[in-house]
Amino acid sequence: MAGKSKNAIAQYIWSDAIPAPIVLITGAEGFLADRATQRLRESLKVADPSLEVSDLDASSYVSGELLTLASPSLFGEPRLIRVSNVEKCNDEFLQEMLDYVTSPDSDTTVILRHAGGVRGKKLLDTLRSGSGGAVEVVCAELKSDNEKFDFAAAEFRLAGRKIAPSALRALVQAFSGSGSELANACQQLIADAEGDITDRTVEDYYGGRVEATAFKVVDSAVAGRMGDALVTLRHALQSGADPVPIVATFAAKLRLMAKLFGERRSSGELAGALGAAPWQIDRARKDLQGWTEYGLGRAIEVVAETDANVKGASRDPIYALERMVNVVASYGRR
């Protein structure tokens, strides 16, 4: 479905990508861009199995390559030209692509992958003005937990599979660091798991990953379960977990709790304002039991100190992490 845009051309999300003479794929989320490209290729292949597919690298482009590949073949097969690294394009590509936009070949689809940055801006502005019959596929990075939750939910919905909300949350939390890993995990469950997907299903497939995730450490700590938090932390570190995102997870959770302290509005009302999903707000409110405003402030200060320590300010980042867990699990009283 086309999204709202100030541009003169239609914009789509990856799953709605449609062929056009020129398809501009933008955004930092590479695995979504790959999916959009694959979707376009499959659509063109279904329309005509004789489709010729070619690849160009805009950063090492040699003059004349585009026109050669876009020229009509002897038997008139349709052509798909996939162009990577447009954000690093050389001057030869930029000029020839700008010339091509004025009169694109009717039997050729050119996919331009631009991951971000100012290089090639003239080309992007030209395409977005409506030249060349282009459309844009936006593959923005999945940043917030809410975005990742919605993405994962859509994966199962599109596949016609049912997954329990709690199982979906566990899956998103276990793979929160990488959109591509989350997508792969969803696809593995869709392909391999039988029946409805439950908490037990996720545990069977990704138990080690789920148990060692930073979210498990945080959940135990903010609930005052110091022993559980320290054991899970050590297991996570032994499994190769990076201390920096662990601290970042603590910081995000405590900041959300601080914003909710004394807040009486419903989770639905607060979701947009706080950039968190309603279930995250409900969980954070539950976690506030036993906390005081002073304790939250103290815990947030220690988390900030720990962040500096694990980034090089301390010779013993593991000690700093364990101290942070002790303070948080004591509700900021230590």
Side-chain angles (χ1 to χ4, degrees):
M1 181 182 296
K4 294 182 179 179
S5 172
K6 296 180 180 179
N7 302 321
I9 62 175
Q11 286 187 324
Y12 300 88
I13 61 174
W14 76 269
S15 58
D16 294 333
I18 60 171
I22 300 173
V23 181
L24 174 63
I25 300 182
T26 58
E29 201 65 86
F31 83 97
L32 291 182
D34 291 341
R35 285 192 175 194
T37 300
Q38 181 64 22
R39 177 183 174 85
L40 290 165
R41 181 186 180 280
E42 291 173 353
S43 178
L44 292 167
K45 197 76 173 176
V46 168
D48 193 329
S50 66
L51 178 74
E52 290 185 357
V53 182
S54 304
D55 293 291
L56 289 176
D57 186 333
S59 66
S60 57
Y61 180 78
V62 176
S63 182
E65 285 183 313
L66 177 62
L67 292 181
T68 299
L69 294 174
S71 297
S73 66
L74 181 63
F75 299 104
E77 297 94 345
R79 290 164 299 285
L80 169 62
I81 304 173
R82 301 177 296 199
V83 186
S84 61
N85 292 320
V86 176
E87 73 280 3
K88 302 175 184 177
C89 67
N90 59 27
D91 292 340
E92 289 81 3
F93 174 81
L94 182 59
Q95 185 57 57
E96 293 192 9
M97 191 65 215
L98 285 168
D99 291 341
Y100 180 83
V101 168
T102 63
S103 184
D105 185 84
S106 59
D107 292 323
T108 300
T109 297
V110 178
I111 297 177
L112 301 174
R113 171 66 180 124
H114 192 289
V118 298
R119 183 62 178 166
K121 184 177 184 299
K122 182 178 180 180
L123 174 59
L124 268 61
D125 290 344
T126 300
L127 294 172
R128 287 168 174 164
S129 72
S131 298
V135 299
E136 183 173 3
V137 179
V138 181
C139 299
E141 184 179 2
L142 302 177
K143 293 183 178 180
S144 71
D145 287 341
N146 201 20
E147 290 172 334
K148 292 170 184 173
F149 185 87
D150 289 343
F151 166 78
E155 290 284 273
F156 291 98
R157 185 172 62 252
L158 290 171
R161 299 295 301 276
K162 292 183 179 181
I163 180 170
S166 56
L168 186 60
R169 287 197 293 271
L171 187 64
V172 171
Q173 289 177 352
F175 293 93
S176 63
S178 169
S180 60
E181 288 187 0
L182 175 60
N184 290 337
C186 291
Q187 289 304 313
Q188 182 180 11
L189 287 175
I190 289 169
D192 297 344
E194 297 181 356
D196 293 349
I197 298 168
T198 64
D199 290 15
R200 180 58 184 270
T201 312
V202 174
E203 180 68 24
D204 287 344
Y205 276 82
Y206 304 114
R209 182 73 180 251
V210 172
E211 290 303 325
T213 185
F215 292 92
K216 290 287 184 179
V217 184
V218 175
D219 289 345
S220 294
V222 298
R225 301 194 303 272
M226 186 181 299
D228 290 344
L230 287 172
V231 168
T232 309
L233 172 65
R234 289 162 187 159
H235 178 59
L237 294 172
Q238 290 169 1
S239 301
D242 185 344
V244 174
I246 292 177
V247 178
T249 304
F250 268 83
K253 183 61 171 279
L254 289 170
R255 282 197 300 267
L256 179 58
M257 290 168 61
K259 290 175 182 177
L260 291 171
F261 198 90
E263 178 62 68
R264 297 185 179 277
R265 285 178 290 173
S266 70
S267 56
E269 292 176 295
L270 290 168
L274 299 182
W279 66 266
Q280 291 175 306
I281 294 173
D282 291 339
R283 179 61 186 268
R285 275 185 163 144
K286 182 179 178 181
D287 290 331
L288 276 170
Q289 296 178 15
W291 284 88
T292 64
E293 188 172 6
Y294 170 82
L296 271 174
R298 169 64 179 152
I300 290 171
E301 287 178 356
V302 172
V303 169
E305 294 171 6
T306 307
D307 182 62
N309 287 332
V310 299
K311 291 178 179 177
S314 170
R315 293 182 179 179
D316 193 348
I318 305 304
Y319 170 78
L321 278 172
E322 292 186 345
R323 174 176 175 268
M324 175 188 71
V325 168
N326 270 278
V327 172
V328 173
S330 301
Y331 302 104
R333 297 172 187 143
R334 290 194 175 188

